Amino acid sequence: MARRLAAALCLAVAAVSVAVATARFVVEKNSVKVLSPRSLRGRHEAAIANYGVPDYGGTLTGVVVYPDKKATGCAEFDAKFKSNCWRPHYITWFCPDAFLETTQCKAQCVNRGRYCAPDPDGDLAAGYSGRDVVLENLRQLCVHRVANARNASWLWWDYVADYHLRCSMKGDHYTRRCADDVAKSLGLPMDLIDECMGDPDADVENDVLKTEQIVQVGHGTRGDVTILPTLVINNVQYRGKLESTSVLKAICAGFKESTEPDVCLTPEMETDECLNNNGGCWRDEKTNITACKDTFRGRICQCPVVDGVQYQGDGYTHCKAVGPGRCAMNNGGCWKGTRDGKTFSACSDSDLSGCKCPPGFKGDGLHCEDVDECSEKLACSCPHCSCKNTWGSFDCSCHGNNLMYIKAEDTCIAKNMSAFGWLVTTLVLSCLAGAGVAGYVFYKYRLRRYMDSEVMAIMSQYMPLEGQNGERLPLREEAQLQRLNILAMSIRFETPRHMTATNAAMYMAKFRHHT
């Protein structure tokens, strides 16, 4: 544990050295609750270590070794701990103007002290220098730019992997020649890569490395480029192994429950908690419809939507289908019964919710039972009636073979009537028929008288008629006939539907008679 703590403090010391060179290493902080010793009991600010595999969604409890010396990490560590410190990748700092002519700046920097990296083996006089590291980092950045411009950005991954295998420092192959061979094997144009790299000895800014320094510092609370290999998910630094499964789990943990993609719910990624006792959620035993929804973080009890039908409820003890089509889903949770080939249901598609027992049944809609109309005197209560209850209805008959039951009147009448009864019935029907004919004749007479009076009133407005006082106007017969024709055309015969073509002709003849 002490060795791990020393390694973590080593990282902190390295971060301080980078900050001096205008870069910023962001240390993410959290709080640690100390129980013992009493002198340190309470909550203390702490930095999260970059080792170990975190248990996402869980807690960590353990023993922390607190050294009695060099606890803050500000003092220099022993050499055995120094060897555990890191090497930067694509991170540069600059050499102050006062030290540009020193051996350290010349061996570790390019472009006259603007971009520097530490010596990889710690010996400025032997082996590879920090300048070699800066140049290879610059070359790999230009490989990415050239490959990306050719819509083949994946070639950067191939170059980095091949260079690591073929051009290691241990084999003394960390050279420009080895880099050229790797680039040519991937079909990358070295002339474009060299053009991107520029002249490392010129006293000018290098656009590629200058950009790296800018993003290294960043514009917010976190640098866009960090010293250690780092993955940030939802603006939170990832902690754990940088391998596909672990990283995918961390990404899945960043989704809101029930919104994660299907890949997060595979057996290799998580445990389906709905498989054990349905997760403690509601389930319809008949249809196997369940409110348990598996998520990466666990499970939620939420009434589902099945075939476009929404279920509503608390998700734990009950869910009920609502809206159109609900009766197709387990009869909407309502009562349903079948007996003797007859089926009755308490669910109605015309109602968007609720259950109601059908006619002939009583109950709350969830449970319905047959109503005995006979014993409760709800039907078939006439003196000569005989009632028999059936499931959902009843049968009513009359005592004796010569009686017939009339359901609308709830009464019994004789099937065979006597001769006197038939005579009375015939007389009544005859009287009714005669009254109807007489009424129709009287109606036609009154209608004709009414039409005659209306036409005479209209004609009297244009010329004197028989029985009227007044002198006849001295009009010519031809003019009179023309006026009558115009009058006849102007009168609309939109009379009641009883006016016939014969009646209309009769009235026209009467008009001409009066002229």
Short mmCIF file of all heavy atoms in Angstrom, two decimals, residues 456 458-466 468 471-473 475 480-481 483-484 487 511-512 514-515:
data_model
loop_
_atom_site.label_atom_id
_atom_site.label_comp_id
_atom_site.label_asym_id
_atom_site.label_seq_id
_atom_site.Cartn_x
_atom_site.Cartn_y
_atom_site.Cartn_z
N MET A 456 -107.04 32.24 -56.98
CA MET A 456 -107.97 33.32 -57.27
C MET A 456 -107.47 34.64 -56.70
O MET A 456 -107.60 35.71 -57.33
CB MET A 456 -109.35 32.99 -56.69
CG MET A 456 -110.04 31.80 -57.38
SD MET A 456 -110.47 32.13 -59.10
CE MET A 456 -111.78 33.35 -58.87
N ILE A 458 -104.38 35.50 -56.27
CA ILE A 458 -103.26 35.97 -57.10
C ILE A 458 -103.75 36.56 -58.40
O ILE A 458 -103.31 37.62 -58.85
CB ILE A 458 -102.28 34.81 -57.35
CG1 ILE A 458 -101.64 34.37 -56.03
CG2 ILE A 458 -101.20 35.19 -58.35
CD1 ILE A 458 -100.79 33.13 -56.16
N MET A 459 -104.76 35.88 -59.07
CA MET A 459 -105.27 36.34 -60.36
C MET A 459 -106.00 37.67 -60.22
O MET A 459 -105.98 38.50 -61.14
CB MET A 459 -106.20 35.27 -60.94
CG MET A 459 -105.49 33.97 -61.29
SD MET A 459 -104.22 34.18 -62.54
CE MET A 459 -105.22 34.71 -63.94
N SER A 460 -106.68 37.86 -59.11
CA SER A 460 -107.44 39.10 -58.94
C SER A 460 -106.55 40.33 -58.87
O SER A 460 -107.02 41.46 -59.08
CB SER A 460 -108.28 39.01 -57.65
OG SER A 460 -107.44 38.94 -56.52
N GLN A 461 -105.26 40.12 -58.63
CA GLN A 461 -104.34 41.26 -58.58
C GLN A 461 -103.96 41.73 -59.98
O GLN A 461 -103.41 42.82 -60.14
CB GLN A 461 -103.07 40.87 -57.80
CG GLN A 461 -103.32 40.53 -56.35
CD GLN A 461 -102.05 40.12 -55.64
OE1 GLN A 461 -100.97 40.31 -56.19
NE2 GLN A 461 -102.21 39.59 -54.43
N TYR A 462 -104.26 40.94 -60.98
CA TYR A 462 -103.87 41.31 -62.35
C TYR A 462 -105.06 41.64 -63.25
O TYR A 462 -104.91 42.32 -64.26
CB TYR A 462 -103.08 40.14 -62.97
CG TYR A 462 -101.75 39.93 -62.30
CD1 TYR A 462 -101.64 39.06 -61.22
CD2 TYR A 462 -100.62 40.62 -62.74
CE1 TYR A 462 -100.44 38.87 -60.59
CE2 TYR A 462 -99.42 40.41 -62.10
CZ TYR A 462 -99.31 39.53 -61.05
OH TYR A 462 -98.11 39.33 -60.43
N MET A 463 -106.30 41.13 -62.98
CA MET A 463 -107.47 41.40 -63.86
C MET A 463 -108.73 41.13 -63.06
O MET A 463 -108.71 40.36 -62.10
CB MET A 463 -107.41 40.49 -65.09
CG MET A 463 -107.49 39.01 -64.77
SD MET A 463 -107.14 38.01 -66.22
CE MET A 463 -105.43 38.40 -66.46
N PRO A 464 -109.85 41.78 -63.44
CA PRO A 464 -111.13 41.54 -62.77
C PRO A 464 -111.64 40.15 -63.10
O PRO A 464 -111.51 39.68 -64.22
CB PRO A 464 -112.04 42.64 -63.33
CG PRO A 464 -111.44 42.99 -64.64
CD PRO A 464 -109.98 42.83 -64.52
N LEU A 465 -112.20 39.51 -62.11
CA LEU A 465 -112.76 38.17 -62.30
C LEU A 465 -114.27 38.22 -62.13
O LEU A 465 -114.85 39.22 -61.71
CB LEU A 465 -112.15 37.20 -61.28
CG LEU A 465 -110.62 37.08 -61.32
CD1 LEU A 465 -110.17 36.15 -60.23
CD2 LEU A 465 -110.16 36.60 -62.68
N GLU A 466 -114.97 37.11 -62.45
CA GLU A 466 -116.41 37.04 -62.32
C GLU A 466 -116.81 37.25 -60.87
O GLU A 466 -116.18 36.73 -59.96
CB GLU A 466 -116.92 35.68 -62.79
CG GLU A 466 -116.76 35.46 -64.30
CD GLU A 466 -117.28 34.10 -64.70
OE1 GLU A 466 -117.67 33.35 -63.79
OE2 GLU A 466 -117.26 33.79 -65.89
N GLN A 468 -116.72 40.12 -59.40
CA GLN A 468 -116.03 41.26 -58.84
C GLN A 468 -116.54 42.52 -59.55
O GLN A 468 -116.85 42.51 -60.75
CB GLN A 468 -114.52 41.16 -59.03
CG GLN A 468 -113.89 40.06 -58.20
CD GLN A 468 -112.39 40.05 -58.38
OE1 GLN A 468 -111.90 40.47 -59.42
NE2 GLN A 468 -111.70 39.57 -57.36
N GLU A 471 -114.68 47.86 -63.91
CA GLU A 471 -114.71 47.82 -65.36
C GLU A 471 -113.50 47.08 -65.89
O GLU A 471 -112.45 47.08 -65.28
CB GLU A 471 -114.72 49.26 -65.89
CG GLU A 471 -115.96 50.04 -65.47
CD GLU A 471 -115.93 51.46 -66.04
OE1 GLU A 471 -114.90 51.78 -66.66
OE2 GLU A 471 -116.91 52.18 -65.84
N ARG A 472 -113.69 46.47 -67.10
CA ARG A 472 -112.60 45.76 -67.73
C ARG A 472 -111.72 46.75 -68.47
O ARG A 472 -112.21 47.67 -69.09
CB ARG A 472 -113.13 44.70 -68.70
CG ARG A 472 -114.06 43.70 -68.01
CD ARG A 472 -114.74 42.80 -69.04
NE ARG A 472 -113.79 41.93 -69.70
CZ ARG A 472 -113.44 40.72 -69.21
NH1 ARG A 472 -113.96 40.30 -68.08
NH2 ARG A 472 -112.61 39.98 -69.88
N LEU A 473 -110.45 46.55 -68.39
CA LEU A 473 -109.52 47.45 -69.07
C LEU A 473 -109.57 47.20 -70.56
O LEU A 473 -109.71 46.05 -71.00
CB LEU A 473 -108.10 47.22 -68.54
CG LEU A 473 -107.88 47.58 -67.07
CD1 LEU A 473 -106.46 47.22 -66.67
CD2 LEU A 473 -108.17 49.05 -66.83
N LEU A 475 -107.93 46.27 -73.04
CA LEU A 475 -106.71 45.63 -73.55
C LEU A 475 -107.08 44.75 -74.72
O LEU A 475 -108.14 44.12 -74.75
CB LEU A 475 -106.06 44.78 -72.46
CG LEU A 475 -105.56 45.54 -71.21
CD1 LEU A 475 -105.06 44.53 -70.21
CD2 LEU A 475 -104.50 46.54 -71.59
N GLN A 480 -103.80 40.53 -73.72
CA GLN A 480 -104.26 39.82 -72.52
C GLN A 480 -103.69 38.41 -72.46
O GLN A 480 -103.24 37.93 -71.40
CB GLN A 480 -105.78 39.77 -72.49
CG GLN A 480 -106.43 41.12 -72.24
CD GLN A 480 -107.95 41.03 -72.27
OE1 GLN A 480 -108.49 40.05 -72.77
NE2 GLN A 480 -108.61 42.04 -71.73
N LEU A 481 -103.71 37.73 -73.59
CA LEU A 481 -103.18 36.36 -73.62
C LEU A 481 -101.68 36.35 -73.29
O LEU A 481 -101.17 35.48 -72.57
CB LEU A 481 -103.42 35.72 -74.99
CG LEU A 481 -104.88 35.41 -75.33
CD1 LEU A 481 -105.00 34.89 -76.76
CD2 LEU A 481 -105.46 34.39 -74.35
N ARG A 483 -100.08 38.51 -71.51
CA ARG A 483 -99.89 38.81 -70.08
C ARG A 483 -100.20 37.59 -69.22
O ARG A 483 -99.52 37.30 -68.23
CB ARG A 483 -100.80 39.97 -69.70
CG ARG A 483 -100.59 40.44 -68.26
CD ARG A 483 -101.38 41.68 -68.03
NE ARG A 483 -101.15 42.13 -66.66
CZ ARG A 483 -101.72 43.24 -66.14
NH1 ARG A 483 -102.52 43.99 -66.89
NH2 ARG A 483 -101.47 43.59 -64.89
N LEU A 484 -101.26 36.85 -69.65
CA LEU A 484 -101.59 35.64 -68.90
C LEU A 484 -100.47 34.60 -69.00
O LEU A 484 -100.16 33.90 -68.04
CB LEU A 484 -102.90 35.05 -69.40
CG LEU A 484 -104.17 35.76 -68.95
CD1 LEU A 484 -105.37 35.19 -69.67
CD2 LEU A 484 -104.34 35.63 -67.46
N LEU A 487 -97.81 35.63 -66.74
CA LEU A 487 -98.22 35.39 -65.37
C LEU A 487 -98.11 33.92 -65.01
O LEU A 487 -97.63 33.55 -63.94
CB LEU A 487 -99.66 35.89 -65.18
CG LEU A 487 -100.29 35.60 -63.81
CD1 LEU A 487 -99.51 36.31 -62.72
CD2 LEU A 487 -101.75 36.05 -63.81
N PHE A 511 -107.88 30.05 -65.68
CA PHE A 511 -107.33 31.40 -65.94
C PHE A 511 -107.81 31.89 -67.30
O PHE A 511 -108.26 33.05 -67.45
CB PHE A 511 -105.81 31.36 -65.90
CG PHE A 511 -105.24 30.99 -64.55
CD1 PHE A 511 -103.94 30.51 -64.45
CD2 PHE A 511 -105.99 31.12 -63.41
CE1 PHE A 511 -103.43 30.17 -63.22
CE2 PHE A 511 -105.48 30.77 -62.18
CZ PHE A 511 -104.21 30.29 -62.07
N ARG A 512 -107.70 31.04 -68.31
CA ARG A 512 -108.10 31.45 -69.66
C ARG A 512 -109.60 31.69 -69.76
O ARG A 512 -110.08 32.54 -70.50
CB ARG A 512 -107.67 30.37 -70.66
CG ARG A 512 -106.13 30.31 -70.83
CD ARG A 512 -105.78 29.35 -71.96
NE ARG A 512 -104.35 29.38 -72.23
CZ ARG A 512 -103.46 28.63 -71.61
NH1 ARG A 512 -103.88 27.76 -70.69
NH2 ARG A 512 -102.18 28.75 -71.89
N HIS A 514 -111.52 33.04 -67.51
CA HIS A 514 -111.81 34.35 -66.95
C HIS A 514 -111.34 35.49 -67.83
O HIS A 514 -111.69 36.64 -67.58
CB HIS A 514 -111.19 34.48 -65.56
CG HIS A 514 -111.91 33.67 -64.50
ND1 HIS A 514 -113.19 33.93 -64.10
CD2 HIS A 514 -111.49 32.57 -63.79
CE1 HIS A 514 -113.56 33.07 -63.17
NE2 HIS A 514 -112.51 32.21 -62.97
N THR A 515 -110.51 35.22 -68.86
CA THR A 515 -110.08 36.30 -69.76
C THR A 515 -111.14 36.60 -70.79
O THR A 515 -111.01 37.57 -71.53
CB THR A 515 -108.79 35.89 -70.46
OG1 THR A 515 -109.02 34.69 -71.21
CG2 THR A 515 -107.69 35.66 -69.45
#
